[in-house]
Amino acid sequence: MGIRWKITLIFLAVFLVTLLPVNFFLFNRVDKSLRQADQVELLAEAQKIAEQVRLEPFLMPLPPVGYQASLYWQDEATGFVELLFESPDFLRDQDTLAYTLLQRAEGAGVLTLELARSNARLQDELRTVTSYLVGANALAIVLAAVLIYVVAGIALRPIKQIITVAEKIEATRSFDKVPVPHARDEYATLARTINAMLGRLEQTLRTQTNFFASAAHELKTPLAVMNAELSVALAEAREPRLQELLSNQLAEVEKLNQTIQDFLLVSQLKTETLVVRTHSQSLPEALYGAVRRLKYLAAERQTKLKVTLLEEDVPHVSFDFDKTETVLANLIENAIRYSTPASEVVIELGRQASTVYVSITNQINAPLPPLHELRQEFMKSKALSSGLGMGLWICDRLSALQGHTLELADPPGQFKATLSLPLGDNT
């Protein structure tokens, strides 16, 4: 339940707690006033009749229509009671009659007049008042609920604007700021506080990204020199032990160089400074380039890379060669690292409908986290003992920048990544 509904229910509850007792008090006062007025009217009619009563000769006016009367005289000395007049069925239905009694001294005794009438009119008036009050209260409650809901929505509009902006904020080169209301209230304070926090986050992200970029650039040259020297030394080495040592060092240097490249890509993707240059070219060439880059890792893990072209003549598609080769290399590297030792990684390149695709399938012996989590930064499977966990995130971002689609699947005992590139209109 949202804050708007909570505010509406709270104000409505306060409204009901206040309104219902007041209306109950007013109804009791109206009920009492109507009953008193009815009794006064009945008593006035009784006095009017009593003034016209005579004993000698006996004279008793008939009560008006709807009234019933009883007249009797009681001797005060002996207590003898003589009934002088009584309407038919007098006081036979006590529940529906309003009743009054009027006495006066007459000779040696007391003359008593009892007058009654139906209280149906009084009950009708009370029911009418009740229906009016219930209807008025129901209408007031509905109108109050609608007004409170509308006013709460207007009052919470700055919060909705803050939420809308906050949902669009991403870790890019700059953060969109939350609009600050002109009113000097808590909303404005909240917006300024959030903007200040976003500014600090933006500065932290910029510092982190600059560090990645600077470190990567500083390490590129020494790593390139080390790679060249180790390659030359490995080619000239004759002792098996030295060859093994240099080969291991060269593999570690290449792994470190790949990590530096990932750092550069991360910083460029974060700051949205990565330039993508796409043109129509051969996808198999990019695939073979990625495979060549990972031949040492495949040999180290005794993994066989099986590349299959499902079509002899694969049409050219539009892509950035370096970025797509990086995507394919990262996907193949993940497949090698995730796969069981001494297994086979199947790489297929083919055409389906209006796309050219590359699928990479490997065997796994450990459960994977949810596939959507693998696309997140610094996320990797527990089966992966090394790496930064940035490979699939980089692949996903580079693919999206080029208009390509990266799909992940985990059939039983396998992990499959499929990169799809759309064909051009003239293909």
Side-chain angles (χ1 to χ4, degrees):
M1 183 183 294
I3 296 178
R4 188 176 184 180
W5 278 109
K6 290 180 180 179
I7 293 175
T8 302
L9 291 179
I10 290 173
F11 274 90
L12 193 59
V14 173
F15 181 74
L16 290 175
V17 170
T18 306
L19 180 67
L20 293 182
V22 171
N23 279 274
F24 181 75
F25 173 76
L26 292 176
F27 177 77
N28 286 336
R29 292 297 301 269
V30 171
D31 179 270
K32 184 178 179 181
S33 298
L34 289 177
R35 292 184 185 277
Q36 287 178 348
D38 186 76
Q39 193 65 26
V40 169
E41 183 180 352
L42 185 61
L43 181 59
E45 191 64 35
Q47 290 175 345
K48 181 179 178 181
I49 295 174
E51 290 175 355
Q52 301 178 34
V53 172
R54 300 289 184 269
L55 294 181
E56 294 182 1
F58 179 73
L59 177 63
M60 170 67 185
L62 292 176
V65 178
Y67 287 79
Q68 298 177 3
S70 175
L71 181 67
Y72 58 89
W73 181 84
Q74 182 178 10
D75 189 294
E76 288 185 339
T78 63
F80 172 74
V81 177
E82 180 182 2
L83 181 63
L84 302 177
F85 175 84
E86 186 178 75
S87 299
D89 298 329
F90 180 71
L91 297 182
R92 294 294 185 267
D93 192 354
Q94 295 283 356
D95 294 336
T96 60
L97 292 176
Y99 170 79
T100 188
L101 184 144
L102 190 63
Q103 293 180 326
R104 74 178 188 189
E106 189 70 30
V110 176
L111 188 65
T112 302
L113 174 65
E114 295 179 344
L115 187 65
R117 71 175 179 185
S118 173
N119 64 355
R121 187 185 67 177
L122 174 63
Q123 297 302 324
D124 289 341
E125 292 177 350
L126 290 176
R127 280 192 292 268
T128 301
V129 172
T130 302
S131 62
Y132 283 163
L133 285 176
V134 171
N137 279 289
L139 182 60
I141 290 171
V142 172
L143 289 177
V146 172
L147 289 175
I148 293 170
Y149 185 80
V150 172
V151 172
I154 295 174
L156 292 174
R157 192 172 297 166
I159 293 292
K160 291 184 178 180
Q161 293 176 348
I162 293 175
I163 293 174
T164 301
V165 174
E167 288 177 342
K168 297 178 181 178
I169 292 176
E170 295 182 358
T172 55
R173 181 164 39 184
S174 61
F175 292 163
D176 293 332
K177 296 300 187 291
V178 172
V180 179
H182 297 293
R184 298 181 180 180
D185 54 11
E186 287 77 5
Y187 291 138
T189 303
L190 176 62
R192 285 192 290 268
T193 303
I194 292 177
N195 285 338
M197 179 191 67
L198 292 176
R200 293 191 296 271
L201 290 175
E202 185 178 342
Q203 180 61 37
T204 301
L205 179 63
R206 188 181 298 112
T207 301
Q208 181 188 47
T209 304
N210 291 339
F211 170 76
F212 280 163
S214 299
H217 281 292
E218 291 295 327
L219 292 174
K220 267 186 86 173
T221 301
L223 284 175
V225 173
M226 291 174 61
N227 189 296
E229 292 179 350
L230 287 172
S231 298
V232 172
L234 179 61
E236 297 176 351
R238 296 292 179 266
E239 297 182 9
R241 186 176 179 183
L242 180 58
Q243 289 179 345
E244 181 181 1
L245 176 63
L246 293 175
S247 178
N248 291 337
Q249 289 181 348
L250 183 61
E252 293 300 323
V253 168
E254 289 181 349
K255 187 187 301 182
L256 184 57
N257 187 58
Q258 183 60 44
T259 301
I260 296 302
Q261 294 297 327
D262 288 346
F263 277 161
L264 277 174
L265 279 175
V266 169
S267 64
Q268 291 173 332
L269 289 170
K270 289 284 189 180
T271 57
E272 298 179 349
T273 57
L274 185 66
V275 179
V276 176
R277 298 181 177 89
T278 62
H279 60 275
S280 182
Q281 50 195 320
S282 174
L283 184 59
E285 292 183 10
L287 176 60
Y288 290 141
V291 171
R292 284 194 299 270
R293 287 167 55 177
L294 294 162
K295 60 181 180 180
Y296 291 114
L297 179 61
E300 177 187 342
R301 295 184 60 87
Q302 299 179 355
T303 301
K304 180 181 177 181
L305 300 180
K306 181 181 178 181
V307 182
T308 303
L309 296 181
L310 300 182
E311 288 192 13
E312 294 184 1
D313 186 16
V314 178
H316 285 201
V317 287
S318 179
F319 62 92
D320 185 307
F321 191 92
D322 292 336
K323 307 302 185 297
T324 302
E325 183 180 357
T326 298
V327 171
L328 294 173
N330 280 341
L331 293 177
I332 297 173
E333 180 183 1
N334 281 343
I336 295 173
R337 293 184 182 278
Y338 272 101
S339 63
T340 55
S343 62
E344 184 178 69
V345 174
V346 178
I347 305 171
E348 295 181 344
L349 190 151
R351 175 176 178 176
Q352 184 177 16
S354 60
T355 61
V356 173
Y357 69 91
V358 177
S359 66
I360 302 166
T361 307
N362 61 281
Q363 305 294 323
I364 56 175
N365 55 9
L368 296 175
L371 296 182
H372 69 275
E373 293 184 3
L374 291 177
R375 298 175 184 266
Q376 299 176 7
E377 303 171 68
F378 302 105
M379 172 60 67
K380 58 184 178 179
S381 169
K382 293 181 180 178
L384 201 60
S385 59
S386 62
L388 296 175
M390 296 291 291
L392 287 177
W393 180 82
I394 292 175
C395 292
D396 192 53
R397 295 296 295 271
L398 289 179
S399 301
L401 285 175
Q402 300 178 77
H404 304 162
T405 303
L406 177 62
E407 297 178 352
L408 307 179
D410 55 348
Q414 294 181 333
F415 177 77
K416 183 177 182 179
T418 303
L419 179 66
S420 299
L421 290 71
L423 290 171
D425 296 336
N426 299 325
T427 302

